[in-house]
Amino acid sequence: MFRNYLKIAVRSLWKNKSFSALNIAGLAMGLAAFLLILLYVKDELSYDRFNEKADRTYRIDTDIRFGGSDFFIASAPDPLMKTLQQEFPQIESAVRFRNNGNLTLKKGDQNIVEDRVIYTDASLFDVFTLPVLDGNPREMLKEPKTVVITETMAEKYFDKTAVAGQFIETANGNMKIAGVIKDVPKNSHFNFDFFISLETLEESRSNHWLGNNFNTYIALRPGTDPKTVSDGLRGIVTRYVAPQLKGLLNSTLEEIESRGEYLRYSLIPLTRIHLHSSRMSELGANSNIQYVYIFSAVAIFILLIACVNFMNLSTARSGNRAREVGIRKVMGSQRRNLILQFLAESTVLSTVSLLLAIFLATAFLPWFNQLSGKTLVIQDNINAAVIAVLIGFALLVGILAGSYPAFFLSGFSPIKVLKGRLANGLKTSWMRNSLVVFQFGISIFLIVGTVVIYNQLNYIRNKETGFNRDQVLVLNDTYVMGKNAKTFKEEIIRAGAGKHMTITGYLPTGSYRNTDVVFKEATANPSSTATMQIWQVDEDYVPTLGMQMVKGRNFSRDFADSSAVMINEAAAKLLGYTDPVGQTLYMPEGPYGTKITPYNIVGVVKDFNFNSMRETVGPLLLMNRMERGAMAISLPAGNIEKSVETIKGLWMKFAPHQPIRYAFMDEDFNRIYETEQRTGKISLAFSTLAVIIACLGLFGLAAYAAEQRTKEIGIRKVLGASVTGIVQMLSKDFLKLVAIAAVIAFPFAWWAMNNWLENFAYRSAITWWIFAATAGITLLIAILTVSYQAIRAALMNPVKSLKSE
């Protein structure tokens, strides 16, 4: 019997090839998009869960409010780890990380700069699950100048992985390879290739509680409530941090807290870091749970559109089979048999759609990986449970879509059906119209979201940032030149390859940052203390980056500016100065800030964005000091390629064994908003897909409507109706539905995107034209979709249509 149902179902679907193709295509595309986004969301939620102790591992974060600024830091003081281990028996193991810059390695006569470098404790393998390929994990990293490398680096430098005990040559001497581990999984919130022993750094053995340079992780013993540790962190601040604060600021912790300022430690679960942490000193670029919610919603929306589409077309087409049902019942078919027949047809369609969806998802996965910046593999994510869920879902959609014809049509009286009384009732359906409104409402919502995202990105690209980033070349690693950096700079100017140049790693789009305190008085007084960024720059910094002086002057070689500083407008406001030029600031220097040094303010720089547009411009102080981490070159207009080639040639002259690494500043600026750019591209792709799926349904429904009104159209044409009039008659009902969908979707879209924009301190407005453009685009697409069928019906010979009826 089942075989008979299946055979009839296939024949029926083949007879109506166009509707079957539309149904299968719409549902398959929706399922494929759902699968792709599901892979993305699953990957995002899997971060750090490969660690065996992931569910009881925590990072210690630091929150500081002081000197008019707030700081949320992903690191803690050096002595905190060992102190916690001594005072909390609940802690099973702990480890620290210290990011101390890149590593220059020698391979033959060439220097190779490796960026994925971190300093860490020997207890690394007690906390994190990093499979060892060569070496003894219990002995690794206990000695200074030892390093653990990944298998990729072992193959790169030694062409094999069994290299424990060998030495690797660096610019600062040899390092002993303590072991080789498998590459850190992609779904880790940190991803390094070189793990150097923290014993190499002298600062790792200090007792300095006021610096927060060490990312600190603890693994609790099984069954331990993390609250027992987090509640005790207040006592650590009181016993260890407070005395050093008093020594620096002449103020007790109670006095500091009475002014609303604080220093706190907190715990964040390891598995929450990737999606819920965006602090200073992160070990890598994290994502945002908000985007997981957005993409999950998009996936569900597209799947709903596809399912609604499938059910709409199935129910619409079923009306034409009412006479078939009547004849079957007259010939003796039981209602149970008719129900099974309709359900069989629907489930065949949904099953074929599922198979096609898996094929489409596999085919488009490389494109999706490029779009999302992932390396997803379907085979790694498909198992028996997933297959069972997909098959169950396909069957569920098929049953739901087939339920209307199965239970509704099969229950009609055959006499009424054969007399044609049922047909008129099926020409319109409030349920079908509601589903069309639902489809286009979601599509319009997604289109508005995409337009707002792109509008914000365009706003960021074109907003005045306070510095010039166009045609500015940034050279990294200029510290390798030492004192020759100045000569290198002069040679570039002499060759005409640069208009202005500045030597410093502290660039608006760079990674160098330094937060410290300044005093308005010669003695440390919390009431006159401010916290801000303090950068070391030279005299050419302001002209090279095209910054503006609001008051005073720039640093100059014509003055003895060794004790001169400049501040930005935000710092002047924080310090309470209306005329800062000539004022004196004091900064703690030397070991633990024991020496207070005066500096004179010679100028005020107009505020410029040195952080993301998500944040307001913070206070900044510029010191006239040499810092050789990088070099920014303002290139002359004209042949940029020639200037770059000249600079490359001079680099080879001054640093022949060091590969040149450079980037344009505008590229670095755009890289800051890489997540938003990816979100925009993914939103655009899936919004377009949602509209296509909705239009497939609209196309099918328009064809169905035209078919149902064939006789009416013929009579109207005989009575003199024009083609235009008939097209308007057939189109207006669908366009009304699209207009209603827009009215319903717009408030929800405005609310959702307004919440998204609140993540940015500088944001574009959601203006009326966004909604007008979306409505116009959607109506135009709907008109084009419906008009094809309407014009086709209107041009049909009335004699033929009346004869067929």
Side-chain angles (χ1 to χ4, degrees), residues 192-398:
F192 300 105
D193 286 320
F194 295 85
F195 296 84
I196 304 174
S197 171
L198 250 181
E199 295 297 317
T200 309
L201 300 178
E202 201 170 311
E203 64 175 299
S204 67
R205 298 179 290 278
S206 75
N207 191 40
H208 184 41
W209 284 89
L210 300 185
N212 297 287
N213 298 320
F214 294 82
N215 300 82
T216 305
Y217 297 79
I218 59 172
L220 302 180
R221 298 187 187 281
T224 301
D225 183 355
K227 195 172 185 301
T228 60
V229 177
S230 60
D231 288 347
L233 293 175
R234 167 67 182 177
I236 297 293
V237 175
T238 304
R239 292 192 297 276
Y240 298 99
V241 181
Q244 291 192 11
L245 275 176
K246 183 171 176 58
L248 177 65
L249 302 174
N250 295 321
S251 184
T252 65
L253 183 64
E254 290 73 18
E255 291 171 340
I256 292 172
E257 291 178 340
S258 67
R259 295 190 298 272
E261 298 177 327
Y262 54 78
L263 186 151
R264 300 169 184 160
Y265 299 130
S266 60
L267 302 182
I268 178 172
L270 175 65
T271 53
R272 286 179 60 86
I273 291 174
H274 177 67
L275 293 175
H276 297 271
S277 181
S278 180
R279 292 171 167 258
M280 298 169 59
S281 304
E282 294 280 358
L283 290 180
N286 291 329
S287 186
N288 191 320
I289 189 64
Q290 187 180 56
Y291 294 113
V292 172
Y293 293 148
I294 289 173
F295 292 139
S296 298
V298 169
I300 293 170
F301 285 161
I302 289 178
L303 190 60
L304 285 174
I305 289 175
C307 292
V308 165
N309 208 40
F310 185 83
M311 288 185 273
N312 235 351
L313 288 175
S314 296
T315 55
R317 192 65 186 171
S318 64
N320 290 345
R321 302 183 64 183
R323 187 165 294 176
E324 175 192 338
V325 172
I327 294 173
R328 281 176 177 270
K329 295 189 81 170
V330 168
M331 298 297 292
S333 291
Q334 299 296 317
R335 186 182 184 191
R336 179 176 64 87
N337 295 334
L338 291 171
I339 289 173
L340 291 174
Q341 180 61 55
F342 281 117
L343 291 179
E345 291 180 15
S346 187
T347 51
V348 166
L349 269 178
S350 61
T351 303
V352 172
S353 298
L354 174 62
L355 295 175
L356 181 58
I358 294 173
F359 171 78
L360 290 174
T362 304
F364 283 95
L365 186 59
W367 167 81
F368 184 72
N369 279 336
Q370 185 179 7
L371 196 67
S372 62
K374 297 281 187 182
T375 54
L376 304 172
V377 180
I378 283 186
Q379 292 84 344
D380 294 345
N381 293 275
I382 296 295
N383 51 43
V386 173
I387 292 173
V389 169
L390 290 175
I391 293 174
F393 180 80
L395 293 175
L396 177 63
V397 172

Side-chain angles (χ1 to χ4, degrees), residues 489-510:
K489 173 181 173 181
E490 292 166 1
E491 288 280 336
I492 292 175
I493 297 291
R494 192 176 297 115
K499 294 187 298 183
H500 299 284
M501 294 176 59
T502 180
I503 304 174
T504 180
Y506 290 100
L507 297 171
T509 57

Side-chain angles (χ1 to χ4, degrees), residues 65 77 88 120 178 234 281 284 290 332 368-369 432 443 538 541 628 682 782-783:
R65 173 173 289 174
F88 293 89
T120 186
R234 167 67 182 177
S281 304
Q290 187 180 56
F368 184 72
N369 279 336
R432 195 175 306 129
S443 300
D538 60 18
Y541 189 81
R628 299 188 182 92
I682 293 174
I783 289 170

Side-chain angles (χ1 to χ4, degrees), residues 542-564:
V542 169
T544 299
L545 299 180
M547 296 174 178
Q548 298 178 31
M549 298 299 301
V550 178
K551 292 181 180 179
R553 63 174 177 84
N554 182 28
F555 297 137
S556 173
R557 296 179 182 85
D558 298 331
F559 296 91
D561 277 346
S562 60
S563 62

